Amino acid sequence: MPKSRSHKSQHYVPKSYLSAWCDPNTPSGMQPYVWTVDPSGARGRKRAPQNLFTETDIYTIFMPDGSRDLRLELELSKLEKGLKTLIRDFVARHRQMPHPQQSKLIAFIAAMHGRTLQARDIQRTLWQDTLNLDERQEREFATSSAFEKERAAAVSGPPANSQVKLDNLQRAVASPMQFLLPGAIADGLPMLRQMTMTIMCSDEPCFITSDSPVTWFDPTVARDKFLTHRSSLSDPGIEVAMPLSPRHTIMLHHPMTPFVKPVRYIKASTATIAALNRRTAHYADKALVSWRDGFDSTWQIVPPTV
């Protein structure tokens, strides 16, 4: 099979999505750009969406013969197609979306949650920790005495396909996206489709986005339990949010029902806009994205005073 050289630079945040944040004051004749801002508050930089948030072969599956399987990259491209049109024709006009478009938007959100570098690195660390533990146990078992092996087998049974498990973990650590992304979509999509969809709206451009734009947040979790709480889509207080444009942020939340529900459009208050931007900034990896230069202090979570 020929070794394809196409689609090597792959976006983990799509340029079609980022283009909604292009500076409206971009000079005539200049390539449209957004402003990227460090979450710490450093000054912004002008960047064209097509040059942002890419990594070589992040979704490519390398086959044993050296060929590049692009199925993940191509499926993501299908989800991205039509996003700008959907926002322009339905979201910006506060219109109800036809069921196919609504389902595709939810699938885009599910994929977006699992396709970023941040999601990749977190999952790779978890798999690496598991691999290290299993390799250590395998070494300890290999060097143990016959009596210890018999005792271990009596307690937990003989090791079953341990090398197969190690091989799979090594593959997952080396190429996380081919395992992470399909799982993130398959696990999240059924529940996300049943959640209520609300789109918060602003007359003026107010919402920022980031290099990790989908956030899961449960405002009902007490502050002292927040760090140890493991969020789940089944939690009744969970809110899944993603900015769609500087004027719109979509939220998926409970109640959950198995039938299609109409989209709710709500004018966001100043406090709501600030709260959603703080979530975006807090969960960003390395960069915020805005339609203008400058860092707004309301994007930061201010620690409580003692």
Side-chain angles (χ1 to χ4, degrees):
M1 183 182 294
K3 298 181 180 180
S4 170
R5 307 297 296 176
S6 65
H7 295 275
K8 290 186 68 66
S9 180
Q10 299 168 359
H11 285 81
Y12 54 91
V13 181
K15 58 185 178 182
S16 58
Y17 169 77
L18 293 170
S19 65
W21 278 267
C22 283
D23 191 329
N25 297 316
T26 300
S28 177
M30 182 177 288
Q31 192 175 40
Y33 55 80
V34 299
W35 292 91
T36 61
V37 183
D38 188 282
S40 66
R43 186 176 178 180
R45 298 175 58 201
K46 300 174 184 176
R47 299 291 302 277
Q50 59 264 38
N51 299 328
L52 268 178
F53 308 140
T54 65
E55 185 169 293
T56 301
D57 285 323
I58 183 175
Y59 306 120
T60 301
I61 302 170
F62 288 94
M63 307 305 289
D65 65 354
S67 61
R68 299 167 63 245
D69 184 337
L70 296 173
R71 72 184 73 177
L72 290 181
E73 169 72 0
L74 297 178
E75 287 301 316
L76 289 172
S77 296
K78 291 178 184 177
L79 287 180
E80 297 161 15
K81 189 176 182 179
L83 179 67
K84 291 174 64 175
T85 302
L86 184 148
I87 295 173
R88 182 193 66 206
D89 293 349
F90 293 95
V91 175
R93 298 179 182 181
H94 298 187
R95 294 173 56 200
Q96 291 299 318
M97 302 176 202
H99 180 55
Q101 281 82 351
Q102 186 172 336
S103 294
K104 189 173 182 179
L105 177 58
I106 295 171
F108 178 86
I109 295 170
M112 193 71 254
H113 185 243
R115 67 182 288 183
T116 63
L117 292 189
Q118 187 178 55
R120 189 269 312 269
D121 293 343
I122 290 172
Q123 190 60 56
R124 172 181 272 162
T125 298
L126 293 173
W127 280 329
Q128 183 67 65
D129 290 345
T130 302
L131 175 62
N132 293 342
L133 177 61
D134 286 359
E135 286 180 334
R136 190 184 74 217
Q137 291 176 339
E138 185 75 9
R139 289 193 299 269
E140 291 174 350
F141 183 82
T143 58
S144 61
S145 66
F147 173 75
E148 290 171 329
K149 290 178 180 178
E150 289 178 3
R151 185 173 62 180
V155 173
S156 57
N161 298 321
S162 58
Q163 190 57 52
V164 173
K165 182 181 179 183
L166 289 176
D167 289 344
N168 287 337
L169 281 169
Q170 288 167 350
R171 288 172 55 217
V173 169
S175 182
M177 279 299 181
Q178 65 174 292
F179 302 95
L180 167 61
L181 191 52
I185 296 174
D187 293 343
L189 198 51
M191 298 190 74
L192 289 173
R193 281 177 171 158
Q194 296 183 55
M195 299 175 84
T196 299
M197 180 184 291
T198 299
I199 297 180
M200 309 304 296
C201 309
S202 171
D203 293 335
E204 299 298 325
C206 294
F207 294 111
I208 57 172
T209 190
S210 80
D211 55 357
S212 187
V214 177
T215 61
W216 289 22
F217 182 73
D218 190 340
T220 67
V221 175
R223 185 188 297 271
D224 60 340
K225 295 182 174 61
F226 183 78
L227 292 177
T228 58
H229 178 75
R230 186 177 176 84
S231 295
S232 167
L233 292 177
S234 61
D235 295 342
I238 195 72
E239 296 174 351
V240 179
M242 185 183 78
L244 293 176
S245 80
R247 290 180 170 85
H248 307 94
T249 288
I250 187 170
M251 299 182 69
L252 300 172
H253 54 91
H254 288 242
M256 297 176 64
T257 55
F259 52 84
V260 178
K261 297 173 286 296
V263 181
R264 300 193 308 166
Y265 290 95
I266 297 178
K267 185 171 183 178
S269 66
T270 301
T272 297
I273 292 169
L276 290 172
N277 280 339
R278 280 195 294 272
R279 290 187 198 180
T280 298
H282 180 69
Y283 288 99
D285 187 11
K286 297 177 181 177
L288 305 178
V289 176
S290 178
W291 69 98
R292 59 179 173 83
D293 191 12
F295 186 89
D296 192 325
S297 61
T298 64
W299 299 344
Q300 290 181 316
I301 296 178
V302 181
T305 56
V306 179

